[in-house]
Structure formats: structure tokens, C-alpha cells
Amino acid sequence: MNSLQRTAPYRPGESVLSFASRLGAANGRPLHAFLRDMGLHPRLLAGGDENEVARLAGLGRVHSASLMSSAVIRTEAGFTVCGERLQRGMIPFNMSRVCPSCIREDVENGEGPVETRAFYRSAWAISLVRTCPRHSAPLVTIEALPRGHHHQDIASLVRHGLEQVASAEPEAIAPSGLEEYMQQRLHGTAPADDFLASLPLYVAVRLTEMIGGMILFGKNFHSGKLAPRDWLDAGREGFVVTAGGADGIREFLSQGFGNYLRSQRNVGGKVLFGTLHTWLLQSSKNPDYDPVRELVREHVVDTLPIGPGEELLGPVTRRRWHSLHSAALEYGVHPKRLRKLLHEAGHITDAEMDLSDGRVLLEVEKVRDFLESVAASLIGEDARRYVVASRVQWDILTREGFV
């Protein structure tokens, strides 16, 4: 396919259909008519099909790799944009969200026909992206596109909606570290050596928003009732935590442990982490969330009395802490007797003697030998209760040398 005489320059970060829209406008044709004339399939272009994008690139005399670098690419699991994986539903195709200030600047500072000057940034198509960090303003939904026009048909948007864009004055908002981080990920400039970088972008963003939601709206906040502005505020607040990497997240998780230790409730993900636990549980079949689940589970294991045989966002495989209750069960010693022996040996302080069996914590490595020696030296009533024998049965067992 020969290239066109009249072209439009590709803009870094531009979506494929935005470039096609401007290229059509440069040749006096609306997007759908232009694609039909050129024999290009709109759905294939919208999904980042390499062959179709290469044909468009040839027409516009640009490198195919440039167009693909910011293409919205459809995959079996969802989409990728700028190399970042996204789930289905995170690229809504039924609305056009833009930054009015960016479009106004494009039109005012660009060259050529007005309809070819503005370009649609691929980042605007991602529902997780809520603002333009450059202008510290929320993205705005433009309703001016005629029915049947693609939401990235930027030339039609300028043709039919420039007045609406020009009059849009979204409220200025405080800068958001999360919004800036998303732009860095999409442009390949984000740090690559921290915990967030190890996660798909959508998991990193949703984790950050969930943590921020807990901070702003309470541990058990109802995620379905939050407005877009609430999620924006949650992302800003949560990024203060997640920007600190795994250590920052652990520190946040630990803040709820004090309340748990002062209560009488059993260890449980919902009790400890509320909506965050529900969110991670609902995604249990998605391996993209495994690093987050593992971080939460291992932090609980490192902090609270939970061990093999229990579940917390997956099976628990090791134990670092015993409670007096769990130690008594594992070693077959009556809790009252074990409490007394641990206190006498200095493993329990005077203050801890007032705590319930489930709230007295014992570090496994420090008490293992002591607990094993106690279990090995069971005598009298403790030993009889351990084997669940009556006094008559116990007398027979001891007399015949079985114990």
C-alpha cells in the first residue's frame, strides 16, 4: 500500500485510532470513511493488530513500532498499553475522557488543519487513570461525539466538541503520587526495583487505592459506594504507603494488629484487614495477585500466632509465633500448668499473666526446647488428662509399666 501525500505527524503516547483519525482529517475524510477507503479494519486497529497497524503506519509514513509502542493491544486476558497489562473493563469504549487543557494547547500550538492538531493520549483510555498530572486536573467526559463515532476519534471530537472542550474548566486538584506513578509506568520511567514494580500496573494501582480507602473511609469501607473523586483521594493517600515498598505495606498492616491483640477475636483475614482481605479473596483465581497475598500472609505469620493447618489467603506453611493456647494444644499440656511453667522460666512476664491464652505470644525458636522438655516430663494429673484416661485406667497403665 502506497503512502499518502498528506500526512499528520505521530505524537508520542498517541493511540492508534487517534493517529488514524488525524490522518483521515488531513485527507479530508472522517475516520470511518477513511478506514473504509483504505481497506483498514477499525476493530483490528482498536485492538492493536500488528499487521493492520503496520498498514496504517505505511500510509502515514511513520514507523510501525512507534504506533505499537502506545497502542491499546487486545489480549486473551484483557489489554496491554505501553507494555502494561490491564484487565477487561479497564478500557471503556463507550466514553471519551480527555484533558481539556491538553487539547486546547494542542489546537493553539499545533500546525496544519485544526482537526489534525490535537491527539488522543492512550493513557486517557485507561479507567484507572483519573487525572492529567501535567495540569493537575481530572479527566473530563466529552459528550459531543455523534452516535457511532469511536471515543478516540479525536478529529471528530475537535470538529464537534471543541466548544465544549474550550468551556470545560475542571476543578484543580492536589497532585497525586499514584497518578504520576501511572504515567511513569506507561512511559517506562518508573523505578524498576521496588515491590510495586513487581506487580502488573492494575494490581499496583488497585492495591494502593484499597489501602487508601481503608485509611480514609475505615477498614471495612464499602468499595461499591465510592465516587470517582473518592477513589482519586484514596489513591493519593494509599500511595504514601505503597511508595514505601513492601516495608511500607507491612508497617501499614501492623497498625491493625494492636486492636486485634486487645480483643478476644480469633486471627482472621476479615478481622485484620477488612475490605483489603475481601478484595484479595475475590481475586483468588488470578495469579497476578499472588505476590500481594503472599506479602500479607507472611507478614501475619511473622507477627501473630498462626501456623500450618490454617488458611489466610492461602495455606499457611510455617509458624513463627505460638499463643499459649496453640502451644498447649500442640504439646499436650494443660494451659494453666503451661502458663505457670512459662512464667517461672521467664518466658511470660508478670503483665502477660493477665492476658488470655490466645493473646500470650511465644516466639517458637525461643521456647521450642522448653516446650519439648515440658511435654516430655508430663506427670500426674497432666499426663492422665493428656491420654484421656480415668483414674482406674491410669493406675493400671502405670502399674503395668506402660507409662
Side-chain angles (χ1 to χ4, degrees):
M1 184 179 295
N2 296 328
S3 60
L4 298 170
Q5 285 190 336
R6 286 180 288 181
T7 63
Y10 165 76
R11 306 299 186 189
E14 182 176 13
S15 75
V16 171
L17 282 180
S18 170
F19 178 72
S21 175
R22 294 193 304 115
L23 186 59
N27 288 274
R29 300 292 280 166
L31 176 61
H32 285 294
F34 172 71
L35 297 181
R36 184 175 60 249
D37 294 345
M38 297 296 106
L40 294 169
H41 197 295
R43 182 174 176 80
L44 293 179
L45 287 177
D49 179 83
E50 282 195 65
N51 292 330
E52 206 73 356
V53 171
R55 294 177 64 204
L56 175 66
L59 288 170
R61 286 182 274 171
V62 301
H63 292 295
S64 178
S66 297
L67 284 179
M68 289 300 297
S69 68
S70 53
V72 176
I73 301 173
R74 192 183 303 273
T75 66
E76 290 186 6
F79 301 92
T80 64
V81 181
C82 302
E84 297 289 350
R85 291 188 290 118
L86 301 168
Q87 288 183 303
R88 291 190 182 93
M90 292 182 175
I91 303 287
F93 287 101
N94 59 351
M95 63 179 182
S96 185
R97 294 187 315 145
V98 302
C99 171
S101 297
C102 284
I103 291 181
R104 286 196 295 264
E105 289 178 0
D106 290 344
V107 172
E108 292 169 3
N109 301 326
E111 298 179 352
V114 172
E115 293 170 6
T116 69
R117 295 178 187 178
F119 69 99
Y120 187 93
R121 283 75 167 164
S122 292
W124 294 347
I126 304 172
S127 62
L128 297 173
V129 176
R130 306 179 191 278
T131 72
C132 172
R134 171 178 164 80
H135 294 104
S136 296
L139 299 181
V140 173
T141 299
I142 301 297
E143 308 288 352
L145 279 175
R147 184 178 178 85
H149 284 246
H150 195 277
H151 74 286
Q152 296 174 28
D153 186 354
I154 190 68
S156 288
L157 188 146
V158 171
R159 184 183 307 119
H160 298 284
L162 190 56
E163 183 176 338
Q164 184 180 347
V165 170
S167 63
E169 292 292 343
E171 178 186 357
I173 56 173
S176 165
L178 179 61
E179 294 286 325
E180 294 173 0
Y181 175 75
M182 281 190 279
Q183 295 295 330
Q184 291 173 354
R185 287 280 294 255
L186 293 170
H187 289 90
T189 60
D193 57 351
D194 61 7
F195 182 70
L196 286 185
S198 71
L199 303 172
L201 177 62
Y202 76 92
V203 177
V205 173
R206 295 299 289 143
L207 170 64
T208 299
E209 291 178 336
M210 284 293 169
I211 288 176
M214 292 172 67
I215 295 171
L216 293 179
F217 308 112
K219 180 178 67 176
N220 295 302
F221 77 96
H222 195 308
S223 60
K225 294 184 177 180
L226 264 59
R229 184 58 182 266
D230 294 329
W231 282 120
L232 179 60
D233 293 339
R236 181 187 299 107
E237 195 73 24
F239 192 71
V240 176
V241 173
T242 58
D247 288 343
I249 296 170
R250 291 189 193 98
E251 183 178 349
F252 166 77
L253 296 175
S254 293
Q255 293 174 8
F257 291 171
N259 291 334
Y260 158 75
L261 290 171
R262 288 189 292 271
S263 75
Q264 298 298 317
R265 305 182 74 177
N266 294 328
V267 177
K270 182 66 175 176
V271 172
L272 294 172
F273 308 124
T275 301
L276 176 64
H277 177 265
T278 301
W279 172 66
L280 290 172
L281 203 60
Q282 289 171 344
S283 61
S284 59
K285 294 183 179 180
N286 187 340
D288 286 347
Y289 293 82
D290 284 348
V292 182
R293 283 189 284 265
E294 182 178 0
L295 174 65
V296 173
R297 181 170 54 252
E298 289 302 300
H299 183 60
V300 174
V301 170
D302 283 337
T303 312
L304 297 177
I306 185 171
E310 299 180 81
E311 292 267 338
L312 197 148
L313 300 173
V316 177
T317 59
R318 65 184 181 91
R319 179 185 290 279
R320 182 180 175 188
W321 294 92
H322 264 304
S323 66
L324 194 151
H325 174 73
S326 65
L329 287 176
E330 181 170 328
Y331 288 92
V333 184
H334 193 279
K336 288 184 178 179
R337 176 171 175 75
L338 184 58
R339 177 186 290 266
K340 177 182 178 182
L341 294 174
L342 286 165
H343 184 244
E344 290 175 350
H347 293 297
I348 294 179
T349 65
D350 290 343
E352 289 174 316
M353 288 294 285
D354 295 328
L355 298 177
S356 67
D357 292 347
R359 295 301 182 265
V360 177
L361 300 187
L362 307 163
E363 193 165 4
V364 169
E365 290 302 316
K366 292 182 178 180
V367 299
R368 178 180 283 115
D369 291 345
F370 177 80
L371 292 175
E372 289 177 350
S373 67
V374 170
S377 60
L378 285 172
I379 58 174
E381 283 296 292
D382 281 330
R384 184 180 68 78
R385 292 193 187 99
Y386 181 61
V387 298
V388 195
S390 68
R391 286 186 171 81
V392 172
Q393 292 170 327
W394 182 250
D395 289 342
I396 295 172
L397 289 172
T398 54
R399 185 171 64 249
E400 297 298 326
F402 289 106
V403 295

